[in-house]
Tab-separated table of all heavy atoms in Angstrom:
chain	number	residue	atom	x	y	z
A	310	GLY	N	-145.653	-47.759	-63.328
A	310	GLY	CA	-145.572	-49.005	-64.226
A	310	GLY	C	-144.176	-49.592	-64.350
A	310	GLY	O	-143.978	-50.801	-64.336
A	323	THR	N	-134.162	-62.743	-59.069
A	323	THR	CA	-133.546	-62.839	-57.738
A	323	THR	C	-133.612	-64.325	-57.047
A	323	THR	O	-134.866	-64.743	-56.821
A	323	THR	CB	-134.016	-61.742	-56.839
A	323	THR	OG1	-133.788	-60.409	-57.431
A	323	THR	CG2	-133.229	-61.798	-55.430
A	497	GLU	N	-129.142	-79.595	-68.552
A	497	GLU	CA	-128.749	-78.617	-69.348
A	497	GLU	C	-128.188	-77.316	-68.635
A	497	GLU	O	-127.101	-76.827	-69.105
A	497	GLU	CB	-129.984	-78.089	-70.225
A	497	GLU	CG	-129.691	-76.997	-71.273
A	497	GLU	CD	-130.806	-76.707	-72.112
A	497	GLU	OE1	-131.785	-77.474	-72.090
A	497	GLU	OE2	-130.765	-75.721	-72.941
A	503	TYR	N	-123.943	-84.071	-54.783
A	503	TYR	CA	-123.962	-84.545	-53.352
A	503	TYR	C	-122.815	-84.021	-52.465
A	503	TYR	O	-121.679	-84.148	-53.090
A	503	TYR	CB	-123.892	-86.194	-53.525
A	503	TYR	CG	-123.832	-86.833	-52.229
A	503	TYR	CD1	-124.993	-87.341	-51.544
A	503	TYR	CD2	-122.617	-87.225	-51.677
A	503	TYR	CE1	-124.935	-88.025	-50.310
A	503	TYR	CE2	-122.337	-87.992	-50.491
A	503	TYR	CZ	-123.725	-88.368	-49.779
A	503	TYR	OH	-123.510	-89.144	-48.728
A	531	GLU	N	-112.454	-109.712	-48.490
A	531	GLU	CA	-113.638	-110.395	-48.775
A	531	GLU	C	-113.412	-111.928	-48.414
A	531	GLU	O	-112.373	-112.375	-48.490
A	531	GLU	CB	-114.020	-110.351	-50.413
A	531	GLU	CG	-114.337	-108.880	-50.851
A	531	GLU	CD	-115.767	-108.539	-50.436
A	531	GLU	OE1	-116.460	-109.456	-49.770
A	531	GLU	OE2	-116.202	-107.414	-50.560
A	597	TYR	N	-119.156	-152.029	-50.340
A	597	TYR	CA	-119.213	-152.530	-51.762
A	597	TYR	C	-118.899	-151.402	-52.918
A	597	TYR	O	-118.154	-151.646	-53.772
A	597	TYR	CB	-120.612	-153.191	-52.038
A	597	TYR	CG	-120.680	-153.785	-53.477
A	597	TYR	CD1	-120.301	-155.021	-53.694
A	597	TYR	CD2	-121.217	-152.991	-54.493
A	597	TYR	CE1	-120.387	-155.561	-55.034
A	597	TYR	CE2	-121.230	-153.397	-55.745
A	597	TYR	CZ	-120.837	-154.735	-56.060
A	597	TYR	OH	-120.950	-155.213	-57.250
A	737	GLU	N	-132.954	-124.389	-71.674
A	737	GLU	CA	-133.418	-123.136	-70.949
A	737	GLU	C	-133.069	-123.308	-69.410
A	737	GLU	O	-132.458	-122.375	-68.925
A	737	GLU	CB	-134.911	-122.853	-71.055
A	737	GLU	CG	-135.343	-121.613	-70.431
A	737	GLU	CD	-136.756	-121.220	-70.670
A	737	GLU	OE1	-137.621	-122.192	-70.968
A	737	GLU	OE2	-137.197	-120.157	-70.418
A	827	TYR	N	-153.367	-142.939	-75.763
A	827	TYR	CA	-152.242	-143.029	-74.933
A	827	TYR	C	-151.058	-142.222	-75.665
A	827	TYR	O	-150.889	-142.467	-76.865
A	827	TYR	CB	-151.833	-144.484	-74.628
A	827	TYR	CG	-152.780	-145.176	-73.748
A	827	TYR	CD1	-153.949	-145.866	-74.326
A	827	TYR	CD2	-152.599	-145.257	-72.384
A	827	TYR	CE1	-154.880	-146.360	-73.577
A	827	TYR	CE2	-153.624	-145.803	-71.605
A	827	TYR	CZ	-154.679	-146.550	-72.219
A	827	TYR	OH	-155.619	-147.114	-71.297
A	853	ALA	N	-126.490	-136.531	-63.625
A	853	ALA	CA	-127.042	-137.323	-62.637
A	853	ALA	C	-128.340	-138.035	-63.306
A	853	ALA	O	-128.951	-137.295	-64.119
A	853	ALA	CB	-127.392	-136.572	-61.355
Side-chain angles (χ1 to χ4, degrees):
T323 298
E497 187 175 345
Y503 174 88
E531 293 286 354
Y597 177 85
E737 183 180 16
Y827 295 84

